[in-house]
Structure formats: structure tokens, C-alpha cells
Amino acid sequence: MGPKQQLSRIMRPDDANIVGNVHGGTILKMIEEAGCIIGTRHCNTQSGDRCAAQLARVERTDFLYPMFIGEVAHVSAEITYASKHSVEVQVHVMSENILTGATKMTNRAALWYVPFSLKNVDNVTEVPPIKYASPGQEEEGKKRYEAQKMERLETKERNGELLMPVSAPDRTTKEPYTVGFSQSSLIHLVGPSDCTLHGFVHGGVTMKLMDEVAGIVAARHCKTNIVTASVDAINFHRKIMKGCVVTVSGRATFASNKSMEIEVFVDADPLIEAEKGKYRAVTAFFTYISLDKQGKPLPIPPMKLEGDGEQRRFEDGKMRYLQNKAKRLADKERQQ
């Protein structure tokens, strides 16, 4: 297999919610940082233009166990496949309780990076090959590469309609448990600390903002402690430059008895190059669960749907929920 990278960091109060659960966005940001480091390092092991690896896609990520303030997050990243112009990085996250020594695997993720030249940001450089333990590993990697390439092309066309930013829903006119009641937005000015060497936003920064908004939507709907359970595949269709104002908007799309799905959109508005106009950069679906004070799952309040659009999105969400449930059960049976 390819090169490896490890990051470790103790979880602080500003990494977590008010009851001490570490935000999913904090973990996603660490995962992406490890991927960016190993991807950029590998892509610069040959002569030619220096380059930086830019996140193109994150496969579906499940949050297996919560992490808490005071625990240490250990992130291990490894390059598992290289095509001519992209690398796949697989990441594992372990939590360590440094008082008891107990460890748990909390996350597994797969990310795809594309290297862009530092001389010309529109130029994608070639990726050095990696050594595989067996021809079978290379073949499996190629299948994953073709599958994600196909899905990225499909989702590029259906990037969702424009959502009006809603930072504070009008609670006087919207009923609780409706989509409009919990819909939320966050506006962020992209600064240098958010960006890569190219001046583009780190994928991890974007995912952290998306998780924050989705968490607000879930909390407004449930009015309890909520935690990220999973994130569906995220495709980064267009880069976000330094100096852009990003509007991150979230709305509830589906709720089962145990979990709720939130659709999140990221729109970028270039302030300096205003003639380019506002554009949709990223969309994704986040799934949350509700917990009581003892950390036990609580039922999700049913959604009150208004109109055909909300009904359609609910049915689409139900289909994704059932597909993911079937896949989880199949994976469980395979492991037994």
C-alpha cells in the first residue's frame, strides 16, 4: 500500500457541543487535514511543478461512536489508490481516553484528491504511481475510482435549487416540526486561515461549516442533544476562493423514528470578482440522531410536511434511508 500519515490532538471544549460530544465537523476537518497532507506530500515526490492536493470528494462517512472533551483523536491516513490525476486516501479515527487507556474506532472515511499546480491553479498535475501489495488491490481501487467518477458526473448536474438564506426562522408564522421552522443558514467570510496554498478553501473547513448548520437544523427540530450519525458522499464541484462570502443553508428532508436527514447547500459569492456571480459549490446530506442526558437515543419528532416539494424530498430521503439501512445490514452479515 501507499504512504501513511498520522495526526493526534486532544479534544477541547470549543471542539464540542454543550454536553461534551465532539462535533462531527471537528472530526471531518481533522480527517481532511490528514488527507491533504499525505496527498500533497505524495504528489510532490516526482520532479515537475510543485502542487497541492485539493479535495474533490468524500465517500459516505459513518460516525460509529461519539468522542468527548478530554479524549485524544488519533487520525491515520493511507493512500490506497492512485489514478493518473487523483489519489484515494483512506482514513481511520480512533478515540483514546488518556485516563483509562480505553480506545475505540470512531470513524472510517475515504477521500479523493486532485493535485493542482502552484504555478497555474487550473493545471492538474500527474500523480506518481504507488506500489500495491497485490494486483487484486489495484483492481479493487480502480473499481472504486470508476464508481466515484461516475457519481461525481451525475451529481454535478443536480446541484439543487437556490435556497434563500434563513439565519432566524420566523417562529411566529412557522409551526414547530415544519421544514420552514428549523431551516437555518450561516454566513462566513473566507479568510487566509481557511485556505490552502492556492488560496482555495480547505474541504475540511467547508465540511465543518456544513455540519454546524445541519446541527442547528436538527437541534431546532428536536430541541434535544443531537449528534452527527453519518454524512452521505460529498462532491466538491467548484472551488471556493479566499475573499468569497459563503452562505451555508440547511433544511430537514426526512425523519424516521430514530434519525433525521438534513440537506445542506454551500453557495459562494466572490466579493472581489463580483462579475463572476454567486454559484453553488457543494451539496450534501447529513444524518443526525437525538440523545437524552444519559446519551441514549430518543425518538425523532415526526415532520409536518407542507406542499408537494417537501413531500417529494421526504420520499427521496426515505429511499436513501432504506438503501443505507440495507447496505449496513449486508455489511454486518459479511463481517460475521
Side-chain angles (χ1 to χ4, degrees):
M1 283 302 202
K4 296 183 180 182
Q5 172 69 39
Q6 284 203 313
L7 294 179
S8 295
R9 183 160 80 72
I10 195 161
M11 295 292 101
R12 302 183 301 263
D14 59 345
D15 294 316
N17 65 15
I18 53 173
V19 296
N21 294 120
V22 173
H23 292 296
T26 301
I27 305 298
L28 290 169
K29 190 166 182 268
M30 282 191 75
I31 286 170
E32 200 277 324
E33 279 172 7
C36 182
I37 290 168
I38 195 171
T40 299
R41 183 185 290 142
H42 175 71
C43 292
N44 284 287
T45 54
Q46 63 185 8
S47 57
D49 279 8
R50 298 299 91 190
C51 61
Q54 186 79 20
L55 184 64
R57 175 179 167 89
V58 182
E59 300 293 357
R60 179 185 163 83
T61 306
D62 289 303
F63 290 76
L64 309 172
Y65 291 100
M67 203 178 287
F68 300 95
I69 293 169
E71 291 185 335
V72 174
H74 297 285
V75 182
S76 306
E78 182 179 15
I79 292 178
T80 46
Y81 181 74
S83 71
K84 191 178 180 183
H85 293 297
S86 65
V87 289
E88 179 194 49
V89 179
Q90 294 204 12
V91 183
H92 292 80
V93 183
M94 301 288 294
S95 68
E96 180 196 1
N97 182 324
I98 50 178
L99 303 178
T100 64
T103 59
K104 270 183 181 173
M105 181 182 284
T106 61
N107 298 79
R108 280 190 298 267
L111 306 91
W112 294 89
Y113 288 85
V114 174
F116 286 90
S117 165
L118 292 177
K119 284 184 184 172
N120 177 1
V121 294
D122 296 320
N123 183 26
V124 177
T125 61
E126 286 196 14
V127 174
I130 65 166
K131 287 178 182 172
Y132 299 96
S134 70
Q137 281 185 344
E138 184 174 7
E139 200 53 46
E140 286 299 312
K142 192 172 183 182
K143 283 179 191 169
R144 294 192 300 272
Y145 167 74
E146 295 296 344
Q148 63 84 29
K149 193 177 174 184
M150 185 85 69
E151 199 178 308
R152 260 166 63 192
L153 289 171
E154 284 171 9
T155 57
K156 201 166 191 174
E157 298 312 312
R158 50 176 176 88
N159 232 351
E161 72 271 28
L162 210 61
L163 264 185
M164 290 303 291
V166 181
S167 52
D170 185 354
R171 295 168 194 275
T172 56
T173 60
K174 296 290 182 186
E175 245 190 289
Y177 310 123
T178 59
V179 173
F181 184 85
S182 60
Q183 185 175 316
S184 305
S185 298
L186 182 154
I187 295 171
H188 178 76
L189 175 64
V190 176
S193 63
D194 299 321
C195 295
T196 65
L197 297 168
H198 285 116
F200 299 133
V201 177
H202 276 291
V205 170
T206 307
M207 289 192 289
K208 192 170 187 293
L209 291 170
M210 293 170 87
D211 181 67
E212 278 179 32
V213 166
I216 292 167
V217 174
R220 278 183 168 149
H221 182 83
C222 299
K223 301 178 183 65
T224 57
N225 175 31
I226 49 87
V227 293
T228 317
S230 66
V231 185
D232 270 14
I234 304 177
N235 293 292
F236 293 79
H237 295 300
R238 294 183 63 180
K239 303 184 201 79
I240 303 170
M241 290 291 288
K242 183 169 62 184
C244 278
V245 170
V246 292
T247 305
V248 188
S249 305
R251 65 180 173 198
T253 47
F254 170 75
S256 69
N257 185 45
K258 292 180 179 175
S259 65
M260 72 179 293
E261 180 191 74
I262 292 130
E263 186 173 20
V264 184
F265 305 87
V266 180
D267 295 316
D269 195 357
L271 289 187
I272 299 163
E273 297 172 310
E275 68 281 357
K276 288 186 175 178
K278 198 171 185 178
Y279 59 91
R280 175 67 43 84
V282 192
T283 56
F285 292 100
F286 284 67
T287 299
Y288 281 77
I289 56 171
S290 172
L291 302 176
D292 65 16
K293 288 176 181 175
Q294 283 71 47
K296 299 278 191 300
L298 285 169
I300 302 284
M303 287 170 63
K304 291 180 182 174
L305 301 173
E306 301 173 315
D308 293 342
E310 289 183 12
Q311 188 66 51
R312 190 187 69 249
R313 287 192 289 273
F314 185 90
E315 293 303 324
D316 290 345
K318 187 176 182 180
M319 197 180 296
R320 283 187 293 273
Y321 167 77
L322 292 171
Q323 283 171 348
N324 288 329
K325 193 176 179 182
K327 189 175 181 297
R328 275 200 312 274
L329 289 170
D331 288 347
K332 208 172 181 181
E333 279 177 18
R334 220 175 20 247
Q335 285 165 9
Q336 283 173 354

